[in-house]
Amino acid sequence: VQEIMAVALDSGGGVSAPVMISNSTIGSRWPAIAWSPSGFGIVWDGIDPYISVFDPISNTATRPLPVSLDADLQTWPTIASDGYYFAVAYDDSLDRSVNVAAVDLSGSTVIVTTEVSTSGSRPPARPSIAWANGEYGVVWGDYFSSSSYISTALFHASVGGCP
C-alpha cells in the first residue's frame, strides 16, 4: 500500500519527522502540493481525489477530505492556491471531463466544483493548474479519435477560483 507522507524543511536544511497524510487501505498515489498562508495543500489520488492541509510549524495534517463525491473515477489531481482558496483540478474518466473544485484553506469544505471542459473520444489526461495575477490556468491532454491535443482554460479567480 502506498501512502502519502510530508516533511517540513527549515532554513538550515533540517528535516522534520515524516507525517502520514493519507491512510488508505487501497493505496494513494500521484501527490501534488501548493503553498497557502494556512499551510501546504496536498492532494492525491486514492481512487478519487483527496486533500489535506499540512502545517509545517506544528508538523501536523488535517484529516483527508474527498474533493469529489461522484461515483465516477476521478484521477490525477493537481492543486494551486490564490491565498484565499485551494483550487484542485482533476480528470473525471467516466464523464470525460476536467473539473476544478474550490476548497477552503482549512481543507475542510469543498465550496464549489466546476466542469472546465469535456473531452473527446477518450478521457482527458493529467490536468495541471497554476495561479498568477488573479487568474487560474488549467492545461490537460485531450484525445479526439486518433489525434492528441493539449487543451487550456484560463479564468479569473472568483468564489473558490471557479468561473
Short mmCIF file of all heavy atoms in Angstrom, two decimals, residues 33-98:
data_model
loop_
_atom_site.label_atom_id
_atom_site.label_comp_id
_atom_site.label_asym_id
_atom_site.label_seq_id
_atom_site.Cartn_x
_atom_site.Cartn_y
_atom_site.Cartn_z
N ILE A 33 1.38 19.39 -4.45
CA ILE A 33 1.41 20.28 -3.29
C ILE A 33 1.37 21.74 -3.73
O ILE A 33 1.88 22.08 -4.80
CB ILE A 33 2.68 20.00 -2.44
CG1 ILE A 33 2.66 20.76 -1.11
CG2 ILE A 33 3.94 20.29 -3.24
CD1 ILE A 33 3.74 20.32 -0.14
N ALA A 34 0.73 22.58 -2.93
CA ALA A 34 0.68 24.04 -3.18
C ALA A 34 0.73 24.75 -1.84
O ALA A 34 0.15 24.30 -0.85
CB ALA A 34 -0.58 24.43 -3.94
N TRP A 35 1.42 25.88 -1.82
CA TRP A 35 1.54 26.69 -0.61
C TRP A 35 0.34 27.62 -0.48
O TRP A 35 -0.20 28.13 -1.47
CB TRP A 35 2.80 27.53 -0.66
CG TRP A 35 2.95 28.41 0.55
CD1 TRP A 35 3.50 28.08 1.74
CD2 TRP A 35 2.51 29.76 0.68
NE1 TRP A 35 3.43 29.13 2.61
CE2 TRP A 35 2.82 30.18 1.98
CE3 TRP A 35 1.85 30.65 -0.17
CZ2 TRP A 35 2.51 31.45 2.45
CZ3 TRP A 35 1.55 31.92 0.29
CH2 TRP A 35 1.88 32.31 1.60
N SER A 36 -0.06 27.87 0.77
CA SER A 36 -1.05 28.91 1.10
C SER A 36 -0.66 29.48 2.46
O SER A 36 0.15 28.89 3.17
CB SER A 36 -2.46 28.32 1.17
OG SER A 36 -2.66 27.68 2.42
N PRO A 37 -1.26 30.60 2.84
CA PRO A 37 -0.93 31.17 4.15
C PRO A 37 -1.26 30.24 5.32
O PRO A 37 -0.68 30.37 6.39
CB PRO A 37 -1.78 32.44 4.21
CG PRO A 37 -2.02 32.81 2.78
CD PRO A 37 -2.11 31.50 2.05
N SER A 38 -2.19 29.30 5.13
CA SER A 38 -2.57 28.41 6.23
C SER A 38 -1.77 27.12 6.27
O SER A 38 -1.92 26.32 7.19
CB SER A 38 -4.06 28.08 6.14
OG SER A 38 -4.32 27.32 4.98
N GLY A 39 -0.94 26.88 5.28
CA GLY A 39 -0.16 25.65 5.22
C GLY A 39 -0.10 25.15 3.79
O GLY A 39 -0.52 25.83 2.85
N PHE A 40 0.42 23.96 3.64
CA PHE A 40 0.53 23.37 2.32
C PHE A 40 -0.68 22.50 2.03
O PHE A 40 -0.99 21.59 2.80
CB PHE A 40 1.80 22.52 2.23
CG PHE A 40 3.06 23.34 2.26
CD1 PHE A 40 3.72 23.58 3.44
CD2 PHE A 40 3.56 23.89 1.09
CE1 PHE A 40 4.89 24.33 3.47
CE2 PHE A 40 4.72 24.65 1.10
CZ PHE A 40 5.38 24.87 2.29
N GLY A 41 -1.35 22.76 0.93
CA GLY A 41 -2.42 21.89 0.47
C GLY A 41 -1.80 20.73 -0.27
O GLY A 41 -0.97 20.93 -1.17
N ILE A 42 -2.16 19.52 0.10
CA ILE A 42 -1.63 18.33 -0.55
C ILE A 42 -2.81 17.53 -1.09
O ILE A 42 -3.76 17.25 -0.36
CB ILE A 42 -0.82 17.47 0.45
CG1 ILE A 42 0.36 18.29 0.99
CG2 ILE A 42 -0.35 16.18 -0.22
CD1 ILE A 42 1.11 17.63 2.11
N VAL A 43 -2.75 17.21 -2.37
CA VAL A 43 -3.78 16.38 -2.98
C VAL A 43 -3.15 15.09 -3.48
O VAL A 43 -1.96 15.03 -3.74
CB VAL A 43 -4.51 17.10 -4.14
CG1 VAL A 43 -5.30 18.29 -3.64
CG2 VAL A 43 -3.55 17.50 -5.25
N TRP A 44 -3.96 14.06 -3.62
CA TRP A 44 -3.51 12.78 -4.14
C TRP A 44 -4.71 12.01 -4.65
O TRP A 44 -5.86 12.36 -4.42
CB TRP A 44 -2.76 11.98 -3.07
CG TRP A 44 -3.61 11.52 -1.92
CD1 TRP A 44 -4.25 10.32 -1.81
CD2 TRP A 44 -3.95 12.26 -0.74
NE1 TRP A 44 -4.95 10.27 -0.63
CE2 TRP A 44 -4.78 11.46 0.04
CE3 TRP A 44 -3.62 13.54 -0.29
CZ2 TRP A 44 -5.28 11.88 1.26
CZ3 TRP A 44 -4.12 13.96 0.92
CH2 TRP A 44 -4.94 13.13 1.69
N ASP A 45 -4.38 10.95 -5.37
CA ASP A 45 -5.40 10.07 -5.92
C ASP A 45 -5.48 8.83 -5.04
O ASP A 45 -4.51 8.09 -4.91
CB ASP A 45 -5.01 9.69 -7.35
CG ASP A 45 -6.03 8.79 -8.03
OD1 ASP A 45 -6.92 8.26 -7.35
OD2 ASP A 45 -5.92 8.60 -9.25
N GLY A 46 -6.63 8.64 -4.44
CA GLY A 46 -6.90 7.43 -3.66
C GLY A 46 -8.13 6.76 -4.25
O GLY A 46 -9.10 6.55 -3.56
N ILE A 47 -8.16 6.55 -5.55
CA ILE A 47 -9.27 6.17 -6.43
C ILE A 47 -10.05 7.43 -6.81
O ILE A 47 -10.43 7.61 -7.94
CB ILE A 47 -10.19 5.10 -5.82
CG1 ILE A 47 -9.42 3.82 -5.54
CG2 ILE A 47 -11.38 4.83 -6.74
CD1 ILE A 47 -8.83 3.15 -6.77
N ASP A 48 -10.28 8.31 -5.88
CA ASP A 48 -10.83 9.64 -6.13
C ASP A 48 -9.86 10.65 -5.51
O ASP A 48 -9.04 10.28 -4.67
CB ASP A 48 -12.22 9.78 -5.50
CG ASP A 48 -13.26 8.96 -6.24
OD1 ASP A 48 -13.26 9.00 -7.48
OD2 ASP A 48 -14.07 8.29 -5.58
N PRO A 49 -9.97 11.94 -5.87
CA PRO A 49 -9.03 12.92 -5.31
C PRO A 49 -9.34 13.27 -3.86
O PRO A 49 -10.50 13.40 -3.47
CB PRO A 49 -9.19 14.14 -6.22
CG PRO A 49 -10.51 13.98 -6.86
CD PRO A 49 -10.83 12.52 -6.89
N TYR A 50 -8.29 13.44 -3.07
CA TYR A 50 -8.38 13.85 -1.67
C TYR A 50 -7.48 15.05 -1.44
O TYR A 50 -6.51 15.24 -2.17
CB TYR A 50 -7.94 12.72 -0.74
CG TYR A 50 -8.94 11.60 -0.64
CD1 TYR A 50 -8.94 10.57 -1.56
CD2 TYR A 50 -9.87 11.57 0.39
CE1 TYR A 50 -9.86 9.55 -1.48
CE2 TYR A 50 -10.79 10.54 0.49
CZ TYR A 50 -10.78 9.54 -0.45
OH TYR A 50 -11.69 8.52 -0.35
N ILE A 51 -7.78 15.82 -0.38
CA ILE A 51 -6.94 16.94 0.02
C ILE A 51 -6.73 16.90 1.53
O ILE A 51 -7.62 16.48 2.29
CB ILE A 51 -7.56 18.30 -0.39
CG1 ILE A 51 -6.58 19.45 -0.08
CG2 ILE A 51 -8.92 18.52 0.25
CD1 ILE A 51 -7.00 20.80 -0.63
N SER A 52 -5.56 17.32 1.95
CA SER A 52 -5.25 17.53 3.35
C SER A 52 -4.36 18.76 3.42
O SER A 52 -3.64 19.06 2.48
CB SER A 52 -4.51 16.31 3.91
OG SER A 52 -4.21 16.48 5.29
N VAL A 53 -4.42 19.49 4.53
CA VAL A 53 -3.57 20.66 4.71
C VAL A 53 -2.52 20.33 5.75
O VAL A 53 -2.84 19.94 6.88
CB VAL A 53 -4.39 21.91 5.11
CG1 VAL A 53 -3.47 23.10 5.33
CG2 VAL A 53 -5.43 22.22 4.04
N PHE A 54 -1.26 20.48 5.36
CA PHE A 54 -0.11 20.17 6.21
C PHE A 54 0.44 21.48 6.78
O PHE A 54 0.75 22.40 6.05
CB PHE A 54 0.96 19.46 5.39
CG PHE A 54 2.26 19.24 6.11
CD1 PHE A 54 2.32 18.41 7.22
CD2 PHE A 54 3.42 19.86 5.68
CE1 PHE A 54 3.52 18.20 7.88
CE2 PHE A 54 4.62 19.65 6.34
CZ PHE A 54 4.66 18.82 7.45
N ASP A 55 0.54 21.54 8.12
CA ASP A 55 1.09 22.70 8.81
C ASP A 55 2.54 22.39 9.18
O ASP A 55 2.79 21.57 10.07
CB ASP A 55 0.28 23.01 10.06
CG ASP A 55 0.82 24.19 10.85
OD1 ASP A 55 1.88 24.74 10.48
OD2 ASP A 55 0.18 24.57 11.84
N PRO A 56 3.51 23.04 8.50
CA PRO A 56 4.90 22.71 8.78
C PRO A 56 5.39 23.20 10.15
O PRO A 56 6.38 22.69 10.66
CB PRO A 56 5.66 23.39 7.64
CG PRO A 56 4.77 24.49 7.21
CD PRO A 56 3.37 24.02 7.44
N ILE A 57 4.68 24.14 10.75
CA ILE A 57 5.08 24.64 12.08
C ILE A 57 4.79 23.60 13.15
O ILE A 57 5.64 23.25 13.97
CB ILE A 57 4.37 25.98 12.41
CG1 ILE A 57 4.60 27.02 11.32
CG2 ILE A 57 4.80 26.48 13.79
CD1 ILE A 57 6.05 27.39 11.09
N SER A 58 3.55 23.09 13.15
CA SER A 58 3.19 22.09 14.15
C SER A 58 3.46 20.66 13.68
O SER A 58 3.29 19.72 14.45
CB SER A 58 1.70 22.23 14.52
OG SER A 58 0.89 21.94 13.39
N ASN A 59 3.85 20.51 12.40
CA ASN A 59 4.13 19.20 11.82
C ASN A 59 2.92 18.27 11.92
O ASN A 59 3.03 17.11 12.29
CB ASN A 59 5.37 18.57 12.44
CG ASN A 59 6.07 17.61 11.50
OD1 ASN A 59 6.16 17.89 10.31
ND2 ASN A 59 6.56 16.50 12.02
N THR A 60 1.75 18.83 11.59
CA THR A 60 0.50 18.07 11.63
C THR A 60 -0.26 18.26 10.31
O THR A 60 0.03 19.19 9.55
CB THR A 60 -0.41 18.53 12.78
OG1 THR A 60 -0.70 19.92 12.62
CG2 THR A 60 0.24 18.29 14.13
N ALA A 61 -1.22 17.41 10.08
CA ALA A 61 -2.04 17.49 8.88
C ALA A 61 -3.51 17.31 9.23
O ALA A 61 -3.83 16.62 10.20
CB ALA A 61 -1.61 16.43 7.87
N THR A 62 -4.37 17.94 8.44
CA THR A 62 -5.81 17.78 8.65
C THR A 62 -6.25 16.41 8.15
O THR A 62 -5.54 15.75 7.38
CB THR A 62 -6.60 18.86 7.89
OG1 THR A 62 -6.36 18.72 6.49
CG2 THR A 62 -6.23 20.25 8.37
N ARG A 63 -7.41 16.01 8.58
CA ARG A 63 -7.99 14.75 8.13
C ARG A 63 -8.26 14.84 6.62
O ARG A 63 -8.74 15.86 6.13
CB ARG A 63 -9.29 14.51 8.89
CG ARG A 63 -9.94 13.23 8.53
CD ARG A 63 -11.19 13.02 9.33
NE ARG A 63 -11.79 11.77 8.91
CZ ARG A 63 -12.78 11.21 9.53
NH1 ARG A 63 -13.30 11.77 10.58
NH2 ARG A 63 -13.26 10.08 9.09
N PRO A 64 -7.97 13.79 5.84
CA PRO A 64 -8.22 13.82 4.41
C PRO A 64 -9.69 14.10 4.08
O PRO A 64 -10.59 13.55 4.71
CB PRO A 64 -7.80 12.44 3.93
CG PRO A 64 -6.81 11.97 4.94
CD PRO A 64 -7.29 12.55 6.25
N LEU A 65 -9.90 14.97 3.09
CA LEU A 65 -11.23 15.33 2.62
C LEU A 65 -11.39 14.89 1.18
O LEU A 65 -10.55 15.24 0.34
CB LEU A 65 -11.42 16.85 2.71
CG LEU A 65 -12.71 17.41 2.12
CD1 LEU A 65 -13.90 17.08 3.03
CD2 LEU A 65 -12.59 18.92 1.92
N PRO A 66 -12.44 14.11 0.85
CA PRO A 66 -12.66 13.80 -0.56
C PRO A 66 -13.03 15.07 -1.32
O PRO A 66 -13.89 15.83 -0.88
CB PRO A 66 -13.82 12.81 -0.55
CG PRO A 66 -14.23 12.63 0.86
CD PRO A 66 -13.41 13.51 1.72
N VAL A 67 -12.37 15.32 -2.43
CA VAL A 67 -12.64 16.52 -3.22
C VAL A 67 -13.90 16.33 -4.05
O VAL A 67 -14.62 17.28 -4.32
CB VAL A 67 -11.43 16.86 -4.11
CG1 VAL A 67 -11.72 18.03 -5.02
CG2 VAL A 67 -10.22 17.16 -3.23
N SER A 68 -14.19 15.11 -4.45
CA SER A 68 -15.38 14.82 -5.24
C SER A 68 -16.12 13.66 -4.61
O SER A 68 -15.52 12.69 -4.16
CB SER A 68 -15.00 14.46 -6.68
OG SER A 68 -16.12 14.01 -7.39
N LEU A 69 -17.44 13.77 -4.59
CA LEU A 69 -18.26 12.69 -4.05
C LEU A 69 -18.96 11.91 -5.15
O LEU A 69 -19.81 11.08 -4.89
CB LEU A 69 -19.28 13.25 -3.06
CG LEU A 69 -18.66 13.91 -1.83
CD1 LEU A 69 -19.75 14.48 -0.93
CD2 LEU A 69 -17.81 12.93 -1.06
N ASP A 70 -18.63 12.21 -6.43
CA ASP A 70 -19.20 11.47 -7.54
C ASP A 70 -18.78 10.01 -7.46
O ASP A 70 -17.70 9.68 -6.98
CB ASP A 70 -18.74 12.04 -8.89
CG ASP A 70 -19.40 13.36 -9.21
OD1 ASP A 70 -20.39 13.72 -8.53
OD2 ASP A 70 -18.92 14.04 -10.13
N ALA A 71 -19.63 9.15 -7.99
CA ALA A 71 -19.31 7.73 -8.01
C ALA A 71 -18.35 7.38 -9.15
O ALA A 71 -17.86 6.28 -9.24
CB ALA A 71 -20.59 6.92 -8.16
N ASP A 72 -18.11 8.34 -10.04
CA ASP A 72 -17.23 8.11 -11.17
C ASP A 72 -15.78 8.01 -10.71
O ASP A 72 -15.45 8.33 -9.58
CB ASP A 72 -17.33 9.26 -12.18
CG ASP A 72 -18.71 9.38 -12.78
OD1 ASP A 72 -19.57 8.56 -12.46
OD2 ASP A 72 -18.91 10.31 -13.57
N LEU A 73 -14.92 7.64 -11.61
CA LEU A 73 -13.49 7.54 -11.35
C LEU A 73 -12.82 8.86 -11.68
O LEU A 73 -12.74 9.25 -12.84
CB LEU A 73 -12.89 6.41 -12.19
CG LEU A 73 -11.39 6.20 -12.08
CD1 LEU A 73 -11.02 5.78 -10.66
CD2 LEU A 73 -10.93 5.16 -13.09
N GLN A 74 -12.37 9.59 -10.66
CA GLN A 74 -11.64 10.84 -10.86
C GLN A 74 -10.18 10.60 -10.49
O GLN A 74 -9.89 10.00 -9.47
CB GLN A 74 -12.20 11.97 -9.99
CG GLN A 74 -13.59 12.40 -10.36
CD GLN A 74 -14.66 11.65 -9.60
OE1 GLN A 74 -14.43 11.16 -8.53
NE2 GLN A 74 -15.83 11.55 -10.18
N THR A 75 -9.27 11.08 -11.35
CA THR A 75 -7.85 10.81 -11.15
C THR A 75 -7.00 12.03 -11.43
O THR A 75 -7.49 13.06 -11.85
CB THR A 75 -7.39 9.66 -12.07
OG1 THR A 75 -7.62 10.04 -13.42
CG2 THR A 75 -8.11 8.37 -11.76
N TRP A 76 -5.70 11.89 -11.20
CA TRP A 76 -4.67 12.89 -11.49
C TRP A 76 -4.96 14.25 -10.89
O TRP A 76 -4.96 15.27 -11.60
CB TRP A 76 -4.45 13.02 -13.00
CG TRP A 76 -3.96 11.77 -13.62
CD1 TRP A 76 -4.69 10.94 -14.43
CD2 TRP A 76 -2.68 11.18 -13.50
NE1 TRP A 76 -3.93 9.86 -14.81
CE2 TRP A 76 -2.68 9.98 -14.26
CE3 TRP A 76 -1.51 11.53 -12.82
CZ2 TRP A 76 -1.58 9.16 -14.34
CZ3 TRP A 76 -0.42 10.70 -12.92
CH2 TRP A 76 -0.46 9.54 -13.68
N PRO A 77 -5.20 14.36 -9.59
CA PRO A 77 -5.45 15.68 -9.01
C PRO A 77 -4.19 16.54 -9.00
O PRO A 77 -3.06 16.03 -8.91
CB PRO A 77 -5.90 15.37 -7.59
CG PRO A 77 -5.23 14.06 -7.27
CD PRO A 77 -5.21 13.30 -8.57
N THR A 78 -4.38 17.82 -9.12
CA THR A 78 -3.32 18.81 -9.04
C THR A 78 -3.87 20.01 -8.30
O THR A 78 -5.09 20.16 -8.18
CB THR A 78 -2.80 19.16 -10.45
OG1 THR A 78 -1.71 20.07 -10.34
CG2 THR A 78 -3.88 19.74 -11.32
N ILE A 79 -3.03 20.89 -7.76
CA ILE A 79 -3.51 21.91 -6.84
C ILE A 79 -2.75 23.22 -7.03
O ILE A 79 -1.58 23.23 -7.39
CB ILE A 79 -3.38 21.42 -5.37
CG1 ILE A 79 -4.04 22.38 -4.39
CG2 ILE A 79 -1.94 21.12 -5.02
CD1 ILE A 79 -4.17 21.82 -2.97
N ALA A 80 -3.47 24.32 -6.78
CA ALA A 80 -2.88 25.66 -6.74
C ALA A 80 -3.65 26.44 -5.68
O ALA A 80 -4.72 26.03 -5.24
CB ALA A 80 -2.98 26.36 -8.09
N SER A 81 -3.11 27.58 -5.28
CA SER A 81 -3.79 28.42 -4.30
C SER A 81 -3.62 29.88 -4.67
O SER A 81 -2.55 30.29 -5.11
CB SER A 81 -3.25 28.19 -2.89
OG SER A 81 -3.87 29.07 -1.97
N ASP A 82 -4.70 30.64 -4.48
CA ASP A 82 -4.63 32.09 -4.67
C ASP A 82 -4.46 32.81 -3.34
O ASP A 82 -4.50 34.02 -3.26
CB ASP A 82 -5.87 32.60 -5.40
CG ASP A 82 -7.16 32.36 -4.63
OD1 ASP A 82 -7.11 31.86 -3.48
OD2 ASP A 82 -8.23 32.67 -5.17
N GLY A 83 -4.24 32.05 -2.26
CA GLY A 83 -4.10 32.62 -0.93
C GLY A 83 -5.41 32.72 -0.18
O GLY A 83 -5.43 32.98 1.02
N TYR A 84 -6.53 32.50 -0.87
CA TYR A 84 -7.86 32.52 -0.25
C TYR A 84 -8.54 31.17 -0.33
O TYR A 84 -9.38 30.83 0.50
CB TYR A 84 -8.75 33.57 -0.92
CG TYR A 84 -8.19 34.96 -0.81
CD1 TYR A 84 -7.49 35.53 -1.86
CD2 TYR A 84 -8.33 35.69 0.36
CE1 TYR A 84 -6.96 36.81 -1.75
CE2 TYR A 84 -7.80 36.96 0.48
CZ TYR A 84 -7.11 37.50 -0.58
OH TYR A 84 -6.58 38.76 -0.46
N TYR A 85 -8.23 30.40 -1.36
CA TYR A 85 -8.81 29.08 -1.59
C TYR A 85 -7.73 28.19 -2.19
O TYR A 85 -6.76 28.68 -2.77
CB TYR A 85 -9.98 29.13 -2.58
CG TYR A 85 -11.11 30.00 -2.14
CD1 TYR A 85 -11.19 31.32 -2.56
CD2 TYR A 85 -12.10 29.51 -1.30
CE1 TYR A 85 -12.23 32.14 -2.15
CE2 TYR A 85 -13.14 30.31 -0.89
CZ TYR A 85 -13.20 31.63 -1.31
OH TYR A 85 -14.22 32.42 -0.90
N PHE A 86 -7.95 26.89 -2.11
CA PHE A 86 -7.21 25.94 -2.92
C PHE A 86 -8.09 25.62 -4.13
O PHE A 86 -9.30 25.46 -3.99
CB PHE A 86 -6.92 24.63 -2.17
CG PHE A 86 -5.90 24.78 -1.08
CD1 PHE A 86 -6.27 24.66 0.24
CD2 PHE A 86 -4.57 25.02 -1.40
CE1 PHE A 86 -5.33 24.78 1.25
CE2 PHE A 86 -3.62 25.14 -0.40
CZ PHE A 86 -4.00 25.02 0.94
N ALA A 87 -7.50 25.52 -5.28
CA ALA A 87 -8.21 25.06 -6.48
C ALA A 87 -7.61 23.72 -6.86
O ALA A 87 -6.39 23.60 -7.05
CB ALA A 87 -8.07 26.05 -7.61
N VAL A 88 -8.45 22.70 -6.93
CA VAL A 88 -8.00 21.34 -7.23
C VAL A 88 -8.57 20.95 -8.58
O VAL A 88 -9.79 20.91 -8.75
CB VAL A 88 -8.46 20.34 -6.15
CG1 VAL A 88 -8.00 18.93 -6.50
CG2 VAL A 88 -7.95 20.77 -4.77
N ALA A 89 -7.70 20.69 -9.54
CA ALA A 89 -8.13 20.23 -10.86
C ALA A 89 -7.92 18.72 -10.92
O ALA A 89 -6.95 18.19 -10.38
CB ALA A 89 -7.33 20.92 -11.96
N TYR A 90 -8.85 18.02 -11.59
CA TYR A 90 -8.73 16.57 -11.74
C TYR A 90 -9.52 16.15 -12.97
O TYR A 90 -10.40 16.88 -13.44
CB TYR A 90 -9.23 15.83 -10.50
CG TYR A 90 -10.64 16.15 -10.11
CD1 TYR A 90 -11.70 15.39 -10.59
CD2 TYR A 90 -10.92 17.21 -9.26
CE1 TYR A 90 -13.01 15.68 -10.24
CE2 TYR A 90 -12.23 17.51 -8.90
CZ TYR A 90 -13.27 16.75 -9.40
OH TYR A 90 -14.56 17.05 -9.05
N ASP A 91 -9.18 14.97 -13.49
CA ASP A 91 -9.97 14.48 -14.61
C ASP A 91 -11.01 13.50 -14.10
O ASP A 91 -10.82 12.82 -13.10
CB ASP A 91 -9.11 13.89 -15.73
CG ASP A 91 -8.40 12.60 -15.38
OD1 ASP A 91 -9.02 11.72 -14.76
OD2 ASP A 91 -7.22 12.46 -15.74
N ASP A 92 -12.15 13.51 -14.77
CA ASP A 92 -13.23 12.58 -14.48
C ASP A 92 -13.27 11.61 -15.65
O ASP A 92 -13.77 11.94 -16.73
CB ASP A 92 -14.55 13.33 -14.34
CG ASP A 92 -15.67 12.44 -13.86
OD1 ASP A 92 -15.73 11.28 -14.30
OD2 ASP A 92 -16.49 12.91 -13.05
N SER A 93 -12.72 10.44 -15.44
CA SER A 93 -12.53 9.49 -16.53
C SER A 93 -13.84 9.01 -17.15
O SER A 93 -13.93 8.85 -18.36
CB SER A 93 -11.72 8.29 -16.05
OG SER A 93 -10.44 8.70 -15.65
N LEU A 94 -14.86 8.79 -16.34
CA LEU A 94 -16.11 8.28 -16.89
C LEU A 94 -16.94 9.37 -17.57
O LEU A 94 -17.58 9.12 -18.59
CB LEU A 94 -16.92 7.57 -15.80
CG LEU A 94 -16.25 6.33 -15.23
CD1 LEU A 94 -17.11 5.71 -14.14
CD2 LEU A 94 -15.95 5.31 -16.31
N ASP A 95 -16.93 10.57 -17.03
CA ASP A 95 -17.66 11.68 -17.66
C ASP A 95 -16.84 12.35 -18.75
O ASP A 95 -17.34 13.23 -19.43
CB ASP A 95 -18.04 12.73 -16.61
CG ASP A 95 -19.16 12.27 -15.71
OD1 ASP A 95 -19.84 11.27 -16.07
OD2 ASP A 95 -19.36 12.88 -14.65
N ARG A 96 -15.57 11.97 -18.87
CA ARG A 96 -14.65 12.56 -19.86
C ARG A 96 -14.61 14.07 -19.74
O ARG A 96 -14.82 14.80 -20.69
CB ARG A 96 -15.06 12.13 -21.26
CG ARG A 96 -14.90 10.67 -21.50
CD ARG A 96 -15.11 10.31 -22.95
NE ARG A 96 -14.73 8.93 -23.15
CZ ARG A 96 -15.46 8.08 -23.83
NH1 ARG A 96 -16.59 8.45 -24.38
NH2 ARG A 96 -15.04 6.85 -23.97
N SER A 97 -14.32 14.53 -18.53
CA SER A 97 -14.26 15.97 -18.30
C SER A 97 -13.10 16.31 -17.37
O SER A 97 -12.56 15.45 -16.69
CB SER A 97 -15.57 16.47 -17.69
OG SER A 97 -15.78 15.88 -16.42
N VAL A 98 -12.74 17.59 -17.37
CA VAL A 98 -11.79 18.14 -16.40
C VAL A 98 -12.60 19.04 -15.48
O VAL A 98 -13.39 19.87 -15.95
CB VAL A 98 -10.66 18.93 -17.09
CG1 VAL A 98 -9.80 19.63 -16.05
CG2 VAL A 98 -9.82 18.01 -17.95
#
